[in-house]
CSV table of all heavy atoms in Angstrom, one decimal:
chain,number,residue,atom,x,y,z
N,1,MET,N,-31.7,20.1,-25.3
N,1,MET,CA,-31.2,18.9,-25.9
N,1,MET,C,-32.0,17.7,-25.4
N,1,MET,O,-32.0,17.4,-24.2
N,1,MET,CB,-29.7,18.7,-25.7
N,1,MET,CG,-29.1,17.5,-26.5
N,1,MET,SD,-27.4,17.3,-26.0
N,1,MET,CE,-26.6,18.7,-26.8
N,2,ASP,N,-32.7,17.0,-26.3
N,2,ASP,CA,-33.5,15.8,-25.8
N,2,ASP,C,-32.6,14.6,-25.7
N,2,ASP,O,-31.4,14.7,-26.1
N,2,ASP,CB,-34.7,15.5,-26.7
N,2,ASP,CG,-34.3,15.2,-28.1
N,2,ASP,OD1,-33.5,14.3,-28.3
N,2,ASP,OD2,-34.7,15.8,-29.1
N,3,GLU,N,-33.1,13.5,-25.1
N,3,GLU,CA,-32.2,12.3,-24.8
N,3,GLU,C,-31.6,11.7,-26.0
N,3,GLU,O,-30.5,11.3,-26.0
N,3,GLU,CB,-33.2,11.3,-24.1
N,3,GLU,CG,-32.5,10.8,-22.8
N,3,GLU,CD,-33.5,10.0,-22.1
N,3,GLU,OE1,-33.5,8.8,-22.3
N,3,GLU,OE2,-34.3,10.5,-21.3
N,4,GLN,N,-32.3,11.7,-27.1
N,4,GLN,CA,-31.8,11.1,-28.3
N,4,GLN,C,-30.6,11.9,-28.9
N,4,GLN,O,-29.6,11.3,-29.3
N,4,GLN,CB,-32.9,11.0,-29.4
N,4,GLN,CG,-32.5,10.3,-30.6
N,4,GLN,CD,-33.5,9.1,-30.9
N,4,GLN,OE1,-34.5,9.0,-30.3
N,4,GLN,NE2,-33.2,8.2,-31.8
N,5,THR,N,-30.8,13.2,-28.9
N,5,THR,CA,-29.7,14.0,-29.4
N,5,THR,C,-28.5,13.9,-28.6
N,5,THR,O,-27.4,13.8,-29.1
N,5,THR,CB,-30.2,15.5,-29.4
N,5,THR,OG1,-31.4,15.6,-30.1
N,5,THR,CG2,-29.2,16.4,-30.1
N,6,GLU,N,-28.7,13.8,-27.3
N,6,GLU,CA,-27.6,13.6,-26.3
N,6,GLU,C,-26.8,12.3,-26.6
N,6,GLU,O,-25.6,12.2,-26.6
N,6,GLU,CB,-28.1,13.6,-24.9
N,6,GLU,CG,-27.1,14.1,-23.9
N,6,GLU,CD,-27.7,14.4,-22.6
N,6,GLU,OE1,-28.9,14.6,-22.5
N,6,GLU,OE2,-27.0,14.4,-21.6
N,7,PHE,N,-27.6,11.2,-26.9
N,7,PHE,CA,-27.1,10.0,-27.2
N,7,PHE,C,-26.1,10.1,-28.4
N,7,PHE,O,-25.0,9.5,-28.4
N,7,PHE,CB,-28.1,8.9,-27.4
N,7,PHE,CG,-27.6,7.6,-27.9
N,7,PHE,CD1,-27.0,6.7,-27.0
N,7,PHE,CD2,-27.7,7.3,-29.2
N,7,PHE,CE1,-26.6,5.5,-27.4
N,7,PHE,CE2,-27.2,6.0,-29.6
N,7,PHE,CZ,-26.6,5.2,-28.7
N,8,TYR,N,-26.6,10.7,-29.5
N,8,TYR,CA,-25.9,10.8,-30.7
N,8,TYR,C,-24.6,11.6,-30.5
N,8,TYR,O,-23.6,11.4,-31.1
N,8,TYR,CB,-26.7,11.3,-31.9
N,8,TYR,CG,-27.6,10.3,-32.4
N,8,TYR,CD1,-29.0,10.4,-32.4
N,8,TYR,CD2,-27.0,9.2,-33.0
N,8,TYR,CE1,-29.8,9.5,-33.0
N,8,TYR,CE2,-27.9,8.2,-33.6
N,8,TYR,CZ,-29.2,8.4,-33.6
N,8,TYR,OH,-30.0,7.4,-34.1
N,9,ASP,N,-24.7,12.6,-29.7
N,9,ASP,CA,-23.6,13.5,-29.3
N,9,ASP,C,-22.5,12.7,-28.6
N,9,ASP,O,-21.3,12.8,-29.0
N,9,ASP,CB,-24.1,14.6,-28.5
N,9,ASP,CG,-23.1,15.8,-28.5
N,9,ASP,OD1,-22.7,16.2,-29.6
N,9,ASP,OD2,-22.8,16.3,-27.4
N,10,LEU,N,-22.9,11.9,-27.7
N,10,LEU,CA,-22.0,11.0,-27.0
N,10,LEU,C,-21.3,10.0,-28.0
N,10,LEU,O,-20.1,9.8,-27.9
N,10,LEU,CB,-22.6,10.3,-25.8
N,10,LEU,CG,-22.9,11.1,-24.6
N,10,LEU,CD1,-23.7,10.4,-23.6
N,10,LEU,CD2,-21.6,11.7,-23.9
N,11,ALA,N,-22.1,9.4,-28.8
N,11,ALA,CA,-21.6,8.4,-29.7
N,11,ALA,C,-20.6,9.0,-30.6
N,11,ALA,O,-19.6,8.4,-31.0
N,11,ALA,CB,-22.8,7.8,-30.5
N,12,ASP,N,-20.9,10.2,-31.0
N,12,ASP,CA,-20.0,11.0,-32.0
N,12,ASP,C,-18.6,11.2,-31.3
N,12,ASP,O,-17.6,11.1,-32.0
N,12,ASP,CB,-20.7,12.3,-32.3
N,12,ASP,CG,-20.1,12.8,-33.6
N,12,ASP,OD1,-19.9,12.1,-34.5
N,12,ASP,OD2,-19.8,14.1,-33.6
N,13,LYS,N,-18.6,11.4,-30.0
N,13,LYS,CA,-17.4,11.7,-29.3
N,13,LYS,C,-16.6,10.4,-29.1
N,13,LYS,O,-15.3,10.5,-29.2
N,13,LYS,CB,-17.6,12.3,-28.0
N,13,LYS,CG,-17.8,13.9,-28.1
N,13,LYS,CD,-18.2,14.5,-26.8
N,13,LYS,CE,-18.6,15.9,-27.1
N,13,LYS,NZ,-19.7,16.3,-26.2
N,14,SER,N,-17.3,9.3,-29.0
N,14,SER,CA,-16.5,8.1,-28.7
N,14,SER,C,-16.0,7.5,-30.1
N,14,SER,O,-15.1,6.7,-30.1
N,14,SER,CB,-17.3,7.1,-28.0
N,14,SER,OG,-18.5,6.8,-28.7
N,15,MET,N,-16.7,7.8,-31.1
N,15,MET,CA,-16.3,7.3,-32.4
N,15,MET,C,-15.5,8.4,-33.2
N,15,MET,O,-16.1,9.4,-33.6
N,15,MET,CB,-17.5,6.9,-33.3
N,15,MET,CG,-18.5,6.0,-32.6
N,15,MET,SD,-17.8,4.3,-32.5
N,15,MET,CE,-18.6,3.7,-34.1
N,16,THR,N,-14.3,8.2,-33.2
N,16,THR,CA,-13.4,9.3,-33.7
N,16,THR,C,-12.8,8.8,-35.1
N,16,THR,O,-12.1,7.9,-35.1
N,16,THR,CB,-12.3,9.6,-32.7
N,16,THR,OG1,-13.0,9.9,-31.5
N,16,THR,CG2,-11.6,10.9,-33.2
N,17,TYR,N,-13.1,9.6,-36.1
N,17,TYR,CA,-12.6,9.2,-37.4
N,17,TYR,C,-11.6,10.3,-37.9
N,17,TYR,O,-11.6,11.4,-37.5
N,17,TYR,CB,-13.7,9.2,-38.4
N,17,TYR,CG,-14.8,8.2,-38.0
N,17,TYR,CD1,-16.0,8.7,-37.5
N,17,TYR,CD2,-14.7,6.9,-38.1
N,17,TYR,CE1,-17.1,7.8,-37.2
N,17,TYR,CE2,-15.6,6.0,-37.6
N,17,TYR,CZ,-16.8,6.5,-37.2
N,17,TYR,OH,-17.8,5.7,-36.8
N,18,CYS,N,-10.7,9.8,-38.8
N,18,CYS,CA,-9.8,10.7,-39.4
N,18,CYS,C,-10.5,11.8,-40.3
N,18,CYS,O,-11.4,11.5,-41.0
N,18,CYS,CB,-8.9,9.9,-40.4
N,18,CYS,SG,-7.8,10.9,-41.3
N,19,ASP,N,-10.1,13.0,-40.1
N,19,ASP,CA,-10.7,14.1,-40.8
N,19,ASP,C,-10.5,14.0,-42.3
N,19,ASP,O,-11.3,14.6,-43.1
N,19,ASP,CB,-10.2,15.5,-40.3
N,19,ASP,CG,-10.7,15.8,-39.0
N,19,ASP,OD1,-11.7,15.2,-38.5
N,19,ASP,OD2,-10.2,16.8,-38.4
N,20,ARG,N,-9.5,13.3,-42.7
N,20,ARG,CA,-9.2,13.2,-44.2
N,20,ARG,C,-9.8,11.9,-44.8
N,20,ARG,O,-10.3,12.0,-45.9
N,20,ARG,CB,-7.7,13.1,-44.3
N,20,ARG,CG,-7.0,14.5,-44.2
N,20,ARG,CD,-7.2,15.4,-45.4
N,20,ARG,NE,-7.1,16.7,-45.0
N,20,ARG,CZ,-7.3,17.8,-45.9
N,20,ARG,NH1,-7.5,17.5,-47.1
N,20,ARG,NH2,-7.1,19.0,-45.5
N,21,CYS,N,-9.7,10.8,-44.1
N,21,CYS,CA,-10.3,9.6,-44.6
N,21,CYS,C,-11.8,9.5,-44.5
N,21,CYS,O,-12.5,8.9,-45.3
N,21,CYS,CB,-9.7,8.4,-43.9
N,21,CYS,SG,-7.9,8.2,-44.0
N,22,GLY,N,-12.3,10.2,-43.5
N,22,GLY,CA,-13.8,10.1,-43.2
N,22,GLY,C,-14.1,9.0,-42.4
N,22,GLY,O,-13.3,8.3,-41.8
N,23,LYS,N,-15.4,8.6,-42.3
N,23,LYS,CA,-15.9,7.5,-41.5
N,23,LYS,C,-15.3,6.2,-42.0
N,23,LYS,O,-15.2,6.0,-43.2
N,23,LYS,CB,-17.4,7.5,-41.5
N,23,LYS,CG,-17.9,8.7,-40.9
N,23,LYS,CD,-19.3,8.7,-40.3
N,23,LYS,CE,-19.5,9.9,-39.5
N,23,LYS,NZ,-20.7,10.1,-39.0
N,24,GLY,N,-15.0,5.3,-41.1
N,24,GLY,CA,-14.4,4.1,-41.5
N,24,GLY,C,-12.9,4.0,-41.1
N,24,GLY,O,-12.4,2.9,-41.0
N,25,THR,N,-12.3,5.1,-40.9
N,25,THR,CA,-10.9,5.1,-40.5
N,25,THR,C,-10.8,5.8,-39.1
N,25,THR,O,-11.1,6.9,-38.9
N,25,THR,CB,-10.0,5.8,-41.5
N,25,THR,OG1,-10.2,5.2,-42.7
N,25,THR,CG2,-8.5,5.7,-41.0
N,26,THR,N,-10.4,5.0,-38.1
N,26,THR,CA,-10.3,5.5,-36.8
N,26,THR,C,-9.1,6.4,-36.6
N,26,THR,O,-8.0,6.1,-37.1
N,26,THR,CB,-10.1,4.3,-35.8
N,26,THR,OG1,-11.2,3.5,-36.0
N,26,THR,CG2,-10.1,4.8,-34.3
N,27,ALA,N,-9.3,7.6,-36.0
N,27,ALA,CA,-8.2,8.5,-35.8
N,27,ALA,C,-7.3,8.1,-34.7
N,27,ALA,O,-7.8,7.5,-33.7
N,27,ALA,CB,-8.8,9.9,-35.5
N,28,LEU,N,-6.0,8.2,-34.8
N,28,LEU,CA,-5.1,7.8,-33.8
N,28,LEU,C,-4.4,9.1,-33.3
N,28,LEU,O,-3.7,8.9,-32.3
N,28,LEU,CB,-4.0,6.9,-34.4
N,28,LEU,CG,-4.6,5.5,-34.9
N,28,LEU,CD1,-3.5,4.7,-35.5
N,28,LEU,CD2,-5.2,4.8,-33.7
N,29,ILE,N,-4.5,10.2,-33.9
N,29,ILE,CA,-3.8,11.4,-33.5
N,29,ILE,C,-4.8,12.5,-33.4
N,29,ILE,O,-5.5,12.8,-34.3
N,29,ILE,CB,-2.7,11.8,-34.5
N,29,ILE,CG1,-1.8,10.6,-34.9
N,29,ILE,CG2,-1.9,12.9,-34.0
N,29,ILE,CD1,-0.8,10.2,-33.9
N,30,TYR,N,-4.8,13.2,-32.3
N,30,TYR,CA,-5.5,14.4,-32.1
N,30,TYR,C,-4.6,15.6,-32.3
N,30,TYR,O,-3.4,15.5,-31.8
N,30,TYR,CB,-6.1,14.6,-30.7
N,30,TYR,CG,-7.4,14.0,-30.4
N,30,TYR,CD1,-7.7,13.1,-29.4
N,30,TYR,CD2,-8.5,14.5,-31.2
N,30,TYR,CE1,-8.9,12.6,-29.2
N,30,TYR,CE2,-9.8,14.0,-30.9
N,30,TYR,CZ,-10.0,13.0,-30.0
N,30,TYR,OH,-11.2,12.5,-29.7
N,31,VAL,N,-5.0,16.6,-33.0
N,31,VAL,CA,-4.2,17.8,-33.2
N,31,VAL,C,-4.9,18.9,-32.6
N,31,VAL,O,-6.0,19.3,-33.0
N,31,VAL,CB,-3.9,18.0,-34.7
N,31,VAL,CG1,-3.0,19.1,-34.9
N,31,VAL,CG2,-3.4,16.7,-35.4
N,32,ALA,N,-4.2,19.6,-31.7
N,32,ALA,CA,-4.7,20.8,-31.1
N,32,ALA,C,-4.1,22.0,-31.8
N,32,ALA,O,-2.9,22.2,-31.7
N,32,ALA,CB,-4.5,20.9,-29.6
N,33,MET,N,-4.9,22.8,-32.6
N,33,MET,CA,-4.3,23.9,-33.3
N,33,MET,C,-4.2,25.1,-32.4
N,33,MET,O,-5.0,25.3,-31.5
N,33,MET,CB,-5.3,24.2,-34.5
N,33,MET,CG,-5.4,23.1,-35.5
N,33,MET,SD,-3.8,22.6,-36.3
N,33,MET,CE,-3.6,24.0,-37.4
N,34,PRO,N,-3.3,26.0,-32.7
N,34,PRO,CA,-3.1,27.2,-31.9
N,34,PRO,C,-4.4,28.1,-31.9
N,34,PRO,O,-4.7,28.7,-31.0
N,34,PRO,CB,-2.0,28.0,-32.7
N,34,PRO,CG,-1.3,27.0,-33.5
N,34,PRO,CD,-2.3,25.9,-33.8
N,35,ALA,N,-5.2,28.0,-33.0
N,35,ALA,CA,-6.4,28.7,-33.1
N,35,ALA,C,-7.5,28.2,-32.1
N,35,ALA,O,-8.5,28.9,-31.9
N,35,ALA,CB,-6.9,28.7,-34.5
N,36,GLY,N,-7.3,27.0,-31.6
N,36,GLY,CA,-8.2,26.5,-30.6
N,36,GLY,C,-9.0,25.3,-31.1
N,36,GLY,O,-9.6,24.6,-30.4
N,37,ASN,N,-9.0,25.1,-32.5
N,37,ASN,CA,-9.8,24.0,-33.0
N,37,ASN,C,-9.0,22.7,-33.0
N,37,ASN,O,-7.8,22.7,-32.7
N,37,ASN,CB,-10.3,24.3,-34.4
N,37,ASN,CG,-9.1,24.7,-35.3
N,37,ASN,OD1,-8.2,25.4,-35.0
N,37,ASN,ND2,-9.1,24.1,-36.5
N,38,GLU,N,-9.7,21.6,-33.1
N,38,GLU,CA,-9.0,20.3,-33.1
N,38,GLU,C,-9.2,19.5,-34.4
N,38,GLU,O,-10.2,19.6,-35.0
N,38,GLU,CB,-9.6,19.4,-32.0
N,38,GLU,CG,-9.0,19.7,-30.6
N,38,GLU,CD,-9.6,18.7,-29.6
N,38,GLU,OE1,-10.5,17.9,-29.9
N,38,GLU,OE2,-9.1,18.7,-28.5
N,39,LEU,N,-8.1,18.9,-34.8
N,39,LEU,CA,-8.2,18.0,-35.9
N,39,LEU,C,-7.9,16.5,-35.5
N,39,LEU,O,-7.3,16.3,-34.4
N,39,LEU,CB,-7.2,18.4,-37.0
N,39,LEU,CG,-7.2,19.9,-37.5
N,39,LEU,CD1,-6.0,20.2,-38.3
N,39,LEU,CD2,-8.5,20.1,-38.3
N,40,LYS,N,-8.4,15.6,-36.3
N,40,LYS,CA,-8.1,14.2,-35.9
N,40,LYS,C,-7.6,13.5,-37.2
N,40,LYS,O,-8.2,13.7,-38.3
N,40,LYS,CB,-9.4,13.5,-35.5
N,40,LYS,CG,-10.0,14.1,-34.2
N,40,LYS,CD,-11.5,13.8,-34.2
N,40,LYS,CE,-12.2,14.3,-35.3
N,40,LYS,NZ,-13.4,15.0,-35.2
N,41,TYR,N,-6.5,12.8,-37.0
N,41,TYR,CA,-6.0,12.1,-38.2
N,41,TYR,C,-5.6,10.7,-37.8
N,41,TYR,O,-5.3,10.3,-36.7
N,41,TYR,CB,-4.7,12.8,-38.7
N,41,TYR,CG,-4.9,14.1,-39.3
N,41,TYR,CD1,-4.2,15.2,-38.9
N,41,TYR,CD2,-5.8,14.3,-40.3
N,41,TYR,CE1,-4.4,16.5,-39.5
N,41,TYR,CE2,-6.0,15.5,-40.9
N,41,TYR,CZ,-5.3,16.6,-40.5
N,41,TYR,OH,-5.5,17.8,-41.1
N,42,CYS,N,-5.7,9.8,-38.9
N,42,CYS,CA,-5.2,8.4,-38.8
N,42,CYS,C,-3.7,8.5,-38.8
N,42,CYS,O,-3.1,9.5,-39.0
N,42,CYS,CB,-5.7,7.6,-39.9
N,42,CYS,SG,-5.1,8.1,-41.5
N,43,ALA,N,-3.0,7.4,-38.5
N,43,ALA,CA,-1.5,7.3,-38.5
N,43,ALA,C,-1.0,7.8,-39.8
N,43,ALA,O,0.0,8.6,-39.8
N,43,ALA,CB,-1.1,5.9,-38.1
N,44,HIS,N,-1.6,7.4,-40.9
N,44,HIS,CA,-1.1,7.8,-42.2
N,44,HIS,C,-1.1,9.3,-42.4
N,44,HIS,O,-0.1,9.8,-42.8
N,44,HIS,CB,-2.0,7.1,-43.3
N,44,HIS,CG,-1.8,7.5,-44.7
N,44,HIS,ND1,-0.7,7.1,-45.4
N,44,HIS,CD2,-2.5,8.3,-45.5
N,44,HIS,CE1,-0.7,7.7,-46.6
N,44,HIS,NE2,-1.8,8.5,-46.7
N,45,HIS,N,-2.3,9.9,-42.2
N,45,HIS,CA,-2.3,11.4,-42.4
N,45,HIS,C,-1.6,12.1,-41.3
N,45,HIS,O,-1.0,13.2,-41.6
N,45,HIS,CB,-3.8,11.8,-42.5
N,45,HIS,CG,-4.4,11.5,-43.8
N,45,HIS,ND1,-5.4,10.5,-43.9
N,45,HIS,CD2,-4.1,12.0,-45.0
N,45,HIS,CE1,-5.7,10.4,-45.2
N,45,HIS,NE2,-4.9,11.3,-45.9
N,46,ALA,N,-1.5,11.6,-40.1
N,46,ALA,CA,-0.8,12.4,-39.1
N,46,ALA,C,0.7,12.4,-39.5
N,46,ALA,O,1.4,13.4,-39.4
N,46,ALA,CB,-0.9,11.7,-37.8
N,47,GLY,N,1.2,11.3,-40.0
N,47,GLY,CA,2.6,11.2,-40.5
N,47,GLY,C,2.8,12.2,-41.6
N,47,GLY,O,3.9,12.8,-41.7
N,48,ARG,N,1.8,12.3,-42.5
N,48,ARG,CA,1.9,13.1,-43.7
N,48,ARG,C,1.9,14.6,-43.3
N,48,ARG,O,2.6,15.4,-43.9
N,48,ARG,CB,0.8,12.8,-44.6
N,48,ARG,CG,0.9,13.4,-45.9
N,48,ARG,CD,0.0,12.6,-46.9
N,48,ARG,NE,-0.4,13.4,-48.0
N,48,ARG,CZ,-1.2,12.9,-49.0
N,48,ARG,NH1,-1.8,11.8,-48.8
N,48,ARG,NH2,-1.5,13.7,-50.0
N,49,TYR,N,1.2,15.0,-42.3
N,49,TYR,CA,1.0,16.4,-41.9
N,49,TYR,C,1.8,16.9,-40.7
N,49,TYR,O,1.9,18.0,-40.4
N,49,TYR,CB,-0.5,16.7,-41.7
N,49,TYR,CG,-1.3,16.6,-42.9
N,49,TYR,CD1,-2.4,15.7,-42.9
N,49,TYR,CD2,-1.0,17.2,-44.1
N,49,TYR,CE1,-3.2,15.5,-44.0
N,49,TYR,CE2,-1.8,17.0,-45.2
N,49,TYR,CZ,-2.9,16.2,-45.2
N,49,TYR,OH,-3.7,16.0,-46.3
N,50,ARG,N,2.4,15.9,-40.1
N,50,ARG,CA,3.1,16.2,-38.8
N,50,ARG,C,4.1,17.4,-38.9
N,50,ARG,O,4.1,18.3,-38.1
N,50,ARG,CB,3.8,15.0,-38.3
N,50,ARG,CG,4.4,15.1,-36.9
N,50,ARG,CD,5.2,13.9,-36.5
N,50,ARG,NE,4.4,12.7,-36.3
N,50,ARG,CZ,3.9,12.4,-35.1
N,50,ARG,NH1,4.1,13.1,-34.1
N,50,ARG,NH2,3.1,11.3,-35.0
N,51,ALA,N,5.0,17.4,-39.9
N,51,ALA,CA,6.0,18.4,-40.0
N,51,ALA,C,5.3,19.8,-40.2
N,51,ALA,O,5.7,20.7,-39.5
N,51,ALA,CB,6.9,18.1,-41.2
N,52,ASN,N,4.3,19.9,-41.0
N,52,ASN,CA,3.6,21.1,-41.3
N,52,ASN,C,2.9,21.6,-40.0
N,52,ASN,O,2.9,22.7,-39.7
N,52,ASN,CB,2.6,21.0,-42.4
N,52,ASN,CG,3.2,21.2,-43.7
N,52,ASN,OD1,4.3,21.8,-43.8
N,52,ASN,ND2,2.6,20.6,-44.8
N,53,LEU,N,2.3,20.6,-39.3
N,53,LEU,CA,1.5,21.0,-38.1
N,53,LEU,C,2.5,21.5,-37.0
N,53,LEU,O,2.1,22.5,-36.3
N,53,LEU,CB,0.8,19.8,-37.6
N,53,LEU,CG,-0.4,19.3,-38.5
N,53,LEU,CD1,-0.9,17.9,-38.1
N,53,LEU,CD2,-1.6,20.3,-38.4
N,54,ASN,N,3.6,20.9,-36.9
N,54,ASN,CA,4.6,21.4,-36.0
N,54,ASN,C,5.1,22.8,-36.3
N,54,ASN,O,5.2,23.6,-35.4
N,54,ASN,CB,5.8,20.4,-35.9
N,54,ASN,CG,5.5,19.2,-35.1
N,54,ASN,OD1,4.7,19.2,-34.2
N,54,ASN,ND2,6.2,18.1,-35.4
N,55,LEU,N,5.2,23.1,-37.6
N,55,LEU,CA,5.6,24.4,-38.0
N,55,LEU,C,4.5,25.5,-37.6
N,55,LEU,O,4.9,26.6,-37.3
N,55,LEU,CB,5.8,24.5,-39.5
N,55,LEU,CG,7.1,23.9,-40.0
N,55,LEU,CD1,7.1,23.9,-41.6
N,55,LEU,CD2,8.3,24.6,-39.5
N,56,LEU,N,3.3,25.0,-37.7
N,56,LEU,CA,2.2,25.9,-37.4
N,56,LEU,C,2.0,26.1,-35.8
N,56,LEU,O,1.2,26.9,-35.4
N,56,LEU,CB,0.8,25.4,-37.9
N,56,LEU,CG,0.7,25.4,-39.5
N,56,LEU,CD1,-0.5,24.6,-39.9
N,56,LEU,CD2,0.6,26.8,-39.9
N,57,GLY,N,2.7,25.3,-35.1
N,57,GLY,CA,2.7,25.4,-33.6
N,57,GLY,C,1.6,24.5,-33.0
N,57,GLY,O,1.1,24.7,-31.9
N,58,ALA,N,1.1,23.5,-33.8
N,58,ALA,CA,0.1,22.7,-33.3
N,58,ALA,C,0.6,21.6,-32.3
N,58,ALA,O,1.9,21.3,-32.4
N,58,ALA,CB,-0.6,21.9,-34.5
N,59,PHE,N,-0.2,21.1,-31.5
N,59,PHE,CA,0.2,20.1,-30.5
N,59,PHE,C,-0.4,18.8,-30.9
N,59,PHE,O,-1.7,18.7,-31.1
N,59,PHE,CB,-0.2,20.5,-29.1
N,59,PHE,CG,0.6,19.7,-28.1
N,59,PHE,CD1,1.8,20.2,-27.7
N,59,PHE,CD2,0.1,18.6,-27.5
N,59,PHE,CE1,2.6,19.5,-26.7
N,59,PHE,CE2,0.8,17.9,-26.5
N,59,PHE,CZ,2.0,18.3,-26.1
N,60,LEU,N,0.3,17.7,-31.1
N,60,LEU,CA,-0.2,16.5,-31.5
N,60,LEU,C,-0.3,15.5,-30.3
N,60,LEU,O,0.7,15.3,-29.6
N,60,LEU,CB,0.7,15.8,-32.6
N,60,LEU,CG,0.5,16.3,-34.0
N,60,LEU,CD1,0.9,17.7,-34.2
N,60,LEU,CD2,1.2,15.4,-35.0
N,61,TYR,N,-1.4,14.9,-30.1
N,61,TYR,CA,-1.6,13.9,-29.1
N,61,TYR,C,-1.8,12.6,-29.8
N,61,TYR,O,-2.6,12.4,-30.6
N,61,TYR,CB,-2.9,14.1,-28.3
N,61,TYR,CG,-3.0,15.4,-27.6
N,61,TYR,CD1,-3.6,16.5,-28.2
N,61,TYR,CD2,-2.6,15.6,-26.3
N,61,TYR,CE1,-3.8,17.7,-27.6
N,61,TYR,CE2,-2.8,16.8,-25.6
N,61,TYR,CZ,-3.4,17.9,-26.3
N,61,TYR,OH,-3.6,19.1,-25.6
N,62,GLU,N,-1.0,11.6,-29.3
N,62,GLU,CA,-1.1,10.3,-29.9
N,62,GLU,C,-2.1,9.5,-29.0
N,62,GLU,O,-2.0,9.5,-27.8
N,62,GLU,CB,0.2,9.5,-29.9
N,62,GLU,CG,1.3,10.4,-30.5
N,62,GLU,CD,2.1,9.6,-31.5
N,62,GLU,OE1,2.0,8.4,-31.6
N,62,GLU,OE2,2.9,10.3,-32.1
N,63,LEU,N,-3.1,8.9,-29.6
N,63,LEU,CA,-4.1,8.1,-28.9
N,63,LEU,C,-3.8,6.7,-29.0
N,63,LEU,O,-3.6,6.2,-30.1
N,63,LEU,CB,-5.5,8.4,-29.4
N,63,LEU,CG,-6.0,9.8,-29.5
N,63,LEU,CD1,-7.3,9.8,-30.2
N,63,LEU,CD2,-6.1,10.4,-28.2
N,64,SER,N,-3.6,6.0,-27.8
N,64,SER,CA,-3.4,4.6,-27.9
N,64,SER,C,-4.7,3.9,-27.6
N,64,SER,O,-5.4,4.2,-26.7
N,64,SER,CB,-2.3,4.2,-26.9
N,64,SER,OG,-2.5,4.8,-25.7
N,65,ALA,N,-5.1,3.0,-28.5
N,65,ALA,CA,-6.4,2.3,-28.3
N,65,ALA,C,-6.4,1.4,-27.2
N,65,ALA,O,-5.5,0.9,-26.6
N,65,ALA,CB,-6.7,1.6,-29.6
F,101,ZN,ZN1,-6.5,9.4,-42.7
């Protein structure tokens, strides 16, 4: 991995967007799925999917800015 790639990789981690809204909406909730993958949602989408995610056994982390 060259320096430039590394920079973009770090930038990508610090800029977290809602998986549903896309870029422009900051994610406020991290969702750890039982399968091991992670989802990120804004407050709006987290509220919308929270009940289903809980049923699936997902763990929701609230991120405070
Ligand atoms: Zn959203």
Side-chain angles (χ1 to χ4, degrees):
M1 186 184 287
D2 63 55
E3 234 170 88
Q4 187 122 8
T5 311
E6 205 166 341
F7 173 79
Y8 281 118
D9 199 46
L10 286 172
D12 201 43
K13 276 175 192 146
S14 59
M15 307 283 269
T16 307
Y17 304 107
C18 174
D19 284 348
R20 285 285 157 179
C21 297
K23 295 201 170 175
T25 304
T26 306
L28 294 177
I29 313 282
Y30 269 128
V31 183
M33 298 299 285
N37 55 317
E38 274 188 356
L39 303 170
K40 298 159 301 225
Y41 289 130
C42 65
H44 170 74
H45 282 111
R48 190 157 157 184
Y49 296 126
R50 185 186 293 268
N52 276 338
L53 291 167
N54 282 333
L55 283 176
L56 290 171
F59 198 84
L60 279 70
Y61 301 90
E62 311 227 353
L63 303 176
S64 45

